[in-house]
Structures are given as structure tokens and as C-alpha cells.
Amino acid sequence: MNARSVALKGAVAACCLMASACTHPYATEGNYAEPIGSAPVLNNPTPYTDALFCMGDHFNGGEAPVPHTISIGKILDYTGKDDIETGRRLTQGAALMAMSALGKAGIPQVERFDTSVTELELKFADNKLIGDAEEAGGVRRLIAGEIPGSAYHMIGGITELNYNIRSNEGEVLYDIVSFGARYYVMNIGLDLRLIHTKSLRVIETVSYQKQIIGRELRGGLFEFFDGKLLDLGLGERSLEPIQLAVRSVIERAVFELMREVNHLPDDACADRLYGPDLHLAGGVGSAETVDEQEAKVINTQGPKPLVTSDKAEVQVRS
């Protein structure tokens, strides 16, 4: 028996062992094939989630006044980037991410994004079709003013998706060994605005972007042994999750807007933000309530005066 036959029989034996160790791909004994993978369900945090929880502690601990009630409107994907096979490149659930961010910060919310069930039940109740054992006559009543309103609402959109801001690539070949690496950068951008619900006055706007880093490493070995060819290649490729980047910029934007509209100090939860360069002092400008804005008399002929309130000293903007 020559060496070729021995190697062939060894390969066949190894394949048989692998096949016997694997689960059958078809149903056995009335059960479905057992799926692979056992990764548990975990929370979905971003580098700014901890800062949102810290903000909630300020409200719950009485260190800050009761926050304003917020509602979320449409936060759409305005990049227009899609693929024929896989569809939209960016998530269409940015509004849901903003709601989750407000929940982490302990901000009270009222539903305005999808009121279809509420509107249907109101219609049924108006026609006396919904029963309620706690009500007189066993029929649900419609009570004026039962639905609370929002003080502010938040809308905006994902406005940027830029590919290949920068990419670097290098490769080295020495004798029988090769090595290569590639570095890739793209980014996404978000614009949000906070609007006073009663007057539709835009109170504050924010615009944030986040770069997304990708890298690739590869190595290889190419050699002949006794007339036999050995070609070995190894590689690793990784890219930050794009949709997690969207969630990150939304959480950062929500944090800044809520910090301003609820008059938290500039350094509130600053130590919980990710990275040494992302300090709150570089955030958005001071937000003012509508009552404060209405109380101001702006002299358009002269310089813009400074007005001091019980919350903060702010610059009047025409």
C-alpha cells in the first residue's frame, strides 16, 4: 500500500467521524432538526446607554425636576441608500430606538408614533361596542381629557451614509510567507429637532455623526514539499455594526436634547460618556422653555441682550 492510498483512506475515515458526530439535517423520530447556535438574548447597549441611565437616576433621586413629557414622531432614513437584493442599507426603526433611549433616561412618554389601536378602540367605544365591567352599565365611556398631551415632540432623520471616507491597504511577501492588512472608514449622520407641541416652535436641534471602522487581516504560506503543493491562507475581517452606530448617535442626541430641555448641569453624567473627547461642554446650546421665550422682548434694532432666568443665563437669539 503506497503513501497515496494511506492518505486517501485517512481522509475518508476523518470524514466518516465528522459525519457521525454531526446532527442529521432531517427530522428524526418526529422531531425537527436541532438548530445550531445557543447565544443568549442580551441587552443592546451603546457607549451612551450608561449616561442615559445616569440621567434617569438624577430624575428618580430628586436631583432634578420632573422631566417634561415627550412624544416621538417620524425619524426616517433620508440617505436614499438601498440595495436591489438586500433592501435598505440603514435601519428603518430609528424612531423606535429614540423611544428606547427615552425609556432608559426615565423620560415620560406618550404614544404618537402608532395610534391605530387607540383610534380603533375609541371608535368602538363611541359606538358602545366595548364592554367594561368597572363602568356603569358595563360599557366603556369616553371621558374628555383622558389622554395626556406631550410638552415636546422629537422628529428628524438619518441624513448621511458615506462610504470609504478613507481606506488603507498594505501587503508584504517574503520568501514563502505573505501578509496583508486593510483599514476602512465610513460614517453615518443624524439630525434631530425638539419641538414645542403647542406652538410648534423648534426649541433645539442637534446634528451628530459617527465613523464606522472596519479592518481586514490576512496571511498565507505557499511552498512545495517533495513535489506536492502547500497553499495555506488565513484571514479575519471585522466591521462595526452599522445599525448599532445608528443607535449610538440617536442615544447621544437624545441625551443632549433631554439634558438641555430639562436644565441639567453641563457636567451631569459627563463621566459616563464614552471617550475622553466627548465632554458635554461641547454639546448643544442652552435650550429655553417656551414660557421663557415668550417673556422676552427682543430688540431687533440693538444688540441682543442677556436674560437671566432661574435656570440658567442664556443668550437671546433672534
Side-chain angles (χ1 to χ4, degrees):
M1 182 180 295
N2 56 28
R4 184 186 182 92
S5 299
V6 173
L8 181 59
K9 288 185 177 181
V12 172
C15 291
C16 291
L17 289 174
M18 292 176 62
S20 63
C22 295
T23 304
H24 294 294
Y26 49 83
T28 59
E29 299 179 358
N31 296 322
Y32 289 104
E34 182 179 354
I36 64 172
S38 58
V41 177
L42 302 174
N43 290 326
N44 194 15
T46 76
Y48 304 98
T49 298
D50 197 26
L52 292 172
F53 285 138
C54 173
M55 176 177 287
D57 292 339
H58 274 73
F59 296 132
N60 295 331
E63 301 176 19
V66 177
H68 298 287
T69 301
I70 306 295
S71 61
I72 299 294
K74 294 181 180 179
I75 303 178
L76 302 178
D77 171 19
Y78 292 104
T79 63
K81 303 293 180 62
D82 58 8
D83 188 271
I84 296 177
E85 296 180 355
T86 60
R88 295 292 184 93
R89 297 295 181 90
L90 294 179
T91 176
Q92 306 300 291
L96 308 182
M97 294 180 179
M99 295 176 195
S100 298
L102 288 174
K104 295 174 183 178
I107 304 295
Q109 303 179 60
V110 289
E111 179 62 45
R112 296 295 185 268
F113 185 75
D114 185 356
T115 60
S116 57
V117 174
T118 302
E119 292 171 0
L120 184 60
E121 293 221 353
L122 288 173
K123 181 179 179 180
F124 285 166
D126 189 43
N127 293 321
K128 302 187 183 304
L129 297 177
I130 296 183
D132 192 338
E134 298 181 358
E135 296 285 352
V139 178
R140 178 181 294 182
R141 296 185 302 162
L142 295 179
I143 302 176
E146 189 173 18
I147 300 176
S150 63
Y152 302 92
H153 65 275
M154 192 182 304
I155 57 178
I158 307 169
T159 52
E160 292 185 46
L161 175 58
N162 302 307
Y163 296 109
N164 202 9
I165 296 176
R166 174 176 295 180
S167 61
N168 300 309
E169 185 173 3
E171 189 166 357
V172 176
L173 174 62
Y174 180 76
D175 197 7
I176 63 173
V177 179
S178 65
F179 177 79
R182 186 188 181 201
Y183 184 81
Y184 180 88
V185 182
M186 59 184 293
N187 85 323
I188 56 113
L190 174 80
D191 291 86
L192 288 184
R193 58 190 184 274
L194 191 67
I195 301 173
H196 187 257
T197 304
K198 290 183 179 180
S199 66
L200 297 184
R201 182 171 296 175
V202 178
I203 302 301
E204 195 58 77
T205 62
V206 292
S207 178
Y208 284 110
Q209 67 92 25
K210 173 174 169 45
Q211 292 191 351
I212 302 168
I213 308 300
R215 57 178 176 264
E216 177 182 352
L217 299 174
R218 60 185 181 274
L221 176 66
F222 186 86
E223 180 61 297
F224 287 94
F225 293 98
D226 297 330
K228 304 296 188 299
L229 172 64
L230 174 63
D231 188 0
L232 176 64
L234 298 173
E236 185 267 340
R237 181 181 299 174
S238 59
L239 176 69
E240 289 186 73
I242 296 178
Q243 316 310 339
L244 183 60
V246 174
R247 187 184 296 273
S248 296
V249 293
I250 288 176
E251 289 198 354
R252 176 67 193 273
V254 168
F255 180 88
E256 293 288 0
L257 288 174
M258 293 301 99
R259 182 182 67 88
E260 294 295 337
V261 77
N262 290 292
H263 300 287
L264 294 180
D266 288 346
D267 59 349
C269 302
D271 58 333
R272 304 294 184 91
L273 288 178
Y274 178 74
D277 298 329
L278 300 177
H279 193 275
L280 288 179
V284 299
S286 299
E288 308 169 65
T289 65
V290 170
D291 292 337
E292 290 172 337
Q293 293 179 353
E294 293 290 352
K296 294 176 180 179
V297 177
I298 301 177
N299 183 5
T300 58
Q301 302 299 324
K304 299 178 180 180
L306 284 174
V307 178
T308 304
S309 68
D310 58 343
K311 298 293 184 181
E313 189 175 56
V314 295
Q315 179 75 40
V316 177
R317 293 167 289 182
S318 59

